[in-house]
Coordinates of all heavy atoms in Angstrom, one line a residue:
P1 N 187.9 58.4 24.5 CA 188.1 58.9 23.1 C 187.3 58.1 22.1 O 186.9 58.6 21.0 CB 189.6 58.9 22.9 CG 190.1 57.8 23.8 CD 189.2 57.9 25.0
D2 N 187.2 56.8 22.3 CA 186.5 55.9 21.4 C 186.0 54.6 22.2 O 186.2 54.6 23.4 CB 187.4 55.5 20.2 CG 188.7 55.0 20.7 OD1 188.7 54.0 21.5 OD2 189.8 55.4 20.2
D3 N 185.5 53.7 21.4 CA 185.0 52.5 22.1 C 185.9 51.3 22.0 O 185.5 50.1 22.1 CB 183.6 52.1 21.4 CG 183.8 51.7 20.0 OD1 184.9 51.8 19.4 OD2 182.8 51.3 19.4
T4 N 187.2 51.5 21.8 CA 188.1 50.4 21.6 C 188.2 49.4 22.8 O 188.6 48.3 22.6 CB 189.6 50.9 21.2 OG1 190.0 51.8 22.2 CG2 189.6 51.5 19.9
I5 N 188.0 49.9 24.0 CA 188.1 49.0 25.1 C 186.8 48.3 25.4 O 186.7 47.5 26.4 CB 188.5 49.8 26.4 CG1 187.4 50.7 26.9 CG2 189.9 50.5 26.2 CD1 187.6 51.3 28.3
C6 N 185.8 48.4 24.6 CA 184.5 47.8 24.8 C 184.3 46.7 23.7 O 184.7 46.9 22.6 CB 183.3 48.8 24.7 SG 183.5 50.2 25.9
A7 N 183.6 45.6 24.1 CA 183.3 44.6 23.1 C 182.0 43.9 23.5 O 181.7 43.7 24.6 CB 184.4 43.5 23.2
H8 N 181.2 43.6 22.4 CA 180.0 42.9 22.6 C 180.3 41.4 22.5 O 180.8 40.9 21.4 CB 179.0 43.3 21.5 CG 177.7 42.5 21.6 ND1 176.8 42.3 20.5 CD2 177.0 41.9 22.6 CE1 175.8 41.6 20.9 NE2 175.9 41.4 22.2
L9 N 180.1 40.6 23.6 CA 180.5 39.2 23.6 C 179.4 38.3 23.2 O 179.6 37.1 23.1 CB 181.0 38.9 25.0 CG 182.1 39.7 25.6 CD1 182.5 39.2 27.0 CD2 183.3 39.7 24.7
G10 N 178.2 38.8 22.9 CA 177.1 38.0 22.6 C 176.2 37.7 23.8 O 176.6 38.0 24.9
D11 N 175.0 37.3 23.6 CA 174.0 37.0 24.6 C 173.8 38.2 25.6 O 173.6 38.0 26.8 CB 174.5 35.8 25.5 CG 174.4 34.5 24.7 OD1 173.5 34.4 23.8 OD2 175.2 33.6 24.9
G12 N 173.8 39.4 25.0 CA 173.6 40.6 25.8 C 174.7 41.0 26.7 O 174.5 41.8 27.6
E13 N 175.9 40.4 26.6 CA 177.0 40.8 27.4 C 178.0 41.8 26.7 O 178.3 41.5 25.6 CB 177.8 39.5 27.8 CG 177.1 38.7 28.9 CD 178.0 37.6 29.5 OE1 179.2 37.4 28.9 OE2 177.7 37.0 30.5
V14 N 178.3 42.8 27.4 CA 179.3 43.8 27.0 C 180.4 43.8 28.0 O 180.2 44.0 29.2 CB 178.7 45.2 26.8 CG1 179.8 46.2 26.5 CG2 177.6 45.2 25.7
A15 N 181.7 43.6 27.5 CA 182.8 43.7 28.4 C 183.5 45.1 28.2 O 183.7 45.5 27.1 CB 183.8 42.6 28.1
V16 N 183.9 45.7 29.3 CA 184.6 46.9 29.3 C 186.0 46.6 30.0 O 186.0 46.2 31.2 CB 183.9 48.0 30.1 CG1 184.7 49.3 30.0 CG2 182.5 48.2 29.5
L17 N 187.1 46.8 29.3 CA 188.4 46.6 29.9 C 188.8 48.0 30.5 O 189.6 48.8 29.9 CB 189.4 46.2 28.8 CG 189.0 45.0 27.9 CD1 190.1 44.6 27.0 CD2 188.4 43.8 28.8
K18 N 188.4 48.2 31.7 CA 188.6 49.6 32.3 C 189.9 49.7 33.0 O 190.4 48.9 33.7 CB 187.5 49.8 33.4 CG 187.5 51.1 34.1 CD 187.1 52.2 33.1 CE 187.3 53.6 33.7 NZ 188.7 54.1 33.8
A19 N 190.6 50.8 32.6 CA 191.9 51.2 33.3 C 191.6 51.3 34.8 O 190.7 52.1 35.2 CB 192.4 52.4 32.7
S20 N 192.3 50.5 35.6 CA 191.9 50.4 37.0 C 192.9 51.1 38.0 O 192.8 50.8 39.2 CB 191.7 49.0 37.4 OG 192.9 48.2 37.1
D21 N 193.8 51.9 37.4 CA 194.7 52.6 38.4 C 194.0 53.8 38.9 O 193.0 54.3 38.3 CB 196.0 53.0 37.7 CG 195.8 53.8 36.4 OD1 194.7 53.6 35.8 OD2 196.6 54.6 36.0
T22 N 194.5 54.4 40.0 CA 193.8 55.5 40.7 C 193.6 56.7 39.7 O 192.6 57.3 39.7 CB 194.7 56.0 41.9 OG1 194.8 54.9 42.7 CG2 194.0 57.1 42.6
K23 N 194.6 57.0 38.9 CA 194.5 58.1 38.0 C 193.3 58.0 37.0 O 192.6 59.0 36.8 CB 195.8 58.3 37.2 CG 195.8 59.4 36.1 CD 197.1 59.4 35.3 CE 197.0 60.4 34.2 NZ 198.3 60.4 33.4
N24 N 193.1 56.8 36.5 CA 192.1 56.6 35.5 C 190.7 56.4 36.2 O 189.7 56.4 35.5 CB 192.4 55.4 34.6 CG 193.4 55.8 33.5 OD1 193.1 56.5 32.6 ND2 194.6 55.3 33.7
L25 N 190.7 56.2 37.5 CA 189.4 56.0 38.1 C 188.9 57.4 38.7 O 187.8 57.5 39.2 CB 189.5 55.0 39.3 CG 189.5 53.6 38.8 CD1 189.9 52.6 39.9 CD2 188.2 53.2 38.1
G26 N 189.7 58.4 38.6 CA 189.3 59.8 38.9 C 188.6 59.9 40.2 O 189.1 59.5 41.3
S27 N 187.4 60.5 40.1 CA 186.7 60.9 41.3 C 186.2 59.7 42.2 O 185.8 59.9 43.3 CB 185.5 61.8 41.0 OG 184.6 61.1 40.1
W28 N 186.2 58.5 41.6 CA 185.7 57.4 42.3 C 186.8 56.8 43.3 O 186.4 56.1 44.2 CB 185.3 56.3 41.3 CG 184.2 56.7 40.5 CD1 182.9 56.9 40.9 CD2 184.2 56.9 39.1 NE1 182.1 57.3 39.8 CE2 182.9 57.3 38.7 CE3 185.2 56.9 38.1 CZ2 182.6 57.6 37.4 CZ3 184.9 57.2 36.8 CH2 183.6 57.6 36.4
A29 N 188.0 57.2 43.0 CA 189.1 56.7 43.9 C 189.2 57.7 45.1 O 188.8 58.9 45.0 CB 190.5 56.7 43.2
E30 N 189.6 57.2 46.3 CA 189.6 58.0 47.5 C 190.9 58.8 47.4 O 192.0 58.3 47.4 CB 189.6 57.1 48.7 CG 188.3 56.3 48.9 CD 188.3 55.5 50.2 OE1 189.1 55.9 51.1 OE2 187.6 54.5 50.3
N31 N 190.7 60.2 47.4 CA 191.8 61.1 47.3 C 192.8 60.9 48.5 O 192.4 60.9 49.7 CB 191.3 62.5 47.3 CG 190.6 62.8 46.0 OD1 190.8 62.2 45.0 ND2 189.6 63.7 46.1
G32 N 194.1 60.8 48.2 CA 195.1 60.7 49.2 C 195.2 59.4 49.9 O 196.1 59.2 50.7
K33 N 194.4 58.4 49.5 CA 194.5 57.1 50.1 C 195.4 56.2 49.2 O 195.2 56.1 48.0 CB 193.1 56.5 50.2 CG 193.1 55.1 51.0 CD 191.8 54.6 51.3 CE 191.8 53.3 52.1 NZ 190.5 52.8 52.4
N34 N 196.3 55.5 49.9 CA 197.2 54.6 49.2 C 196.5 53.3 49.0 O 196.1 52.6 49.9 CB 198.5 54.4 50.0 CG 199.5 53.4 49.3 OD1 199.3 53.2 48.1 ND2 200.4 53.0 50.1
T35 N 196.3 53.0 47.7 CA 195.5 51.8 47.4 C 196.4 50.6 47.1 O 195.9 49.5 46.9 CB 194.7 52.0 46.1 OG1 195.6 52.4 45.0 CG2 193.6 53.1 46.3
E36 N 197.7 50.8 47.2 CA 198.6 49.6 47.1 C 198.5 48.8 48.3 O 198.5 49.3 49.4 CB 200.1 50.1 46.9 CG 200.3 50.9 45.6 CD 200.0 50.1 44.3 OE1 200.2 48.9 44.4 OE2 199.5 50.7 43.4
S37 N 198.5 47.5 48.2 CA 198.4 46.6 49.3 C 199.1 45.3 49.0 O 199.4 45.0 47.9 CB 196.9 46.4 49.7 OG 196.3 45.7 48.7
I38 N 199.3 44.5 50.1 CA 199.8 43.2 49.9 C 198.9 42.4 49.0 O 199.4 41.7 48.1 CB 200.0 42.5 51.2 CG1 201.0 43.2 52.1 CG2 200.5 41.0 51.0 CD1 201.2 42.7 53.5

């Protein structure tokens, strides 16, 4: 919706605080695979 999770840190670096749960990773996550692990 906006760029709030992105930041320019200087020296050409941009950090993205990406939501990393399966729901927010959409098509890149393996469907039906349990990603929880020890």
Side-chain angles (χ1 to χ4, degrees):
D2 52 50
D3 65 357
T4 52
I5 67 165
C6 304
H8 180 205
L9 305 181
D11 291 330
E13 284 190 352
V14 172
V16 182
L17 311 187
K18 181 70 184 77
S20 58
D21 55 331
T22 303
K23 177 183 176 182
N24 282 288
L25 285 169
S27 60
W28 297 293
E30 295 183 25
N31 294 328
K33 184 172 181 179
N34 182 13
T35 58
E36 297 297 327
S37 67
I38 296 174

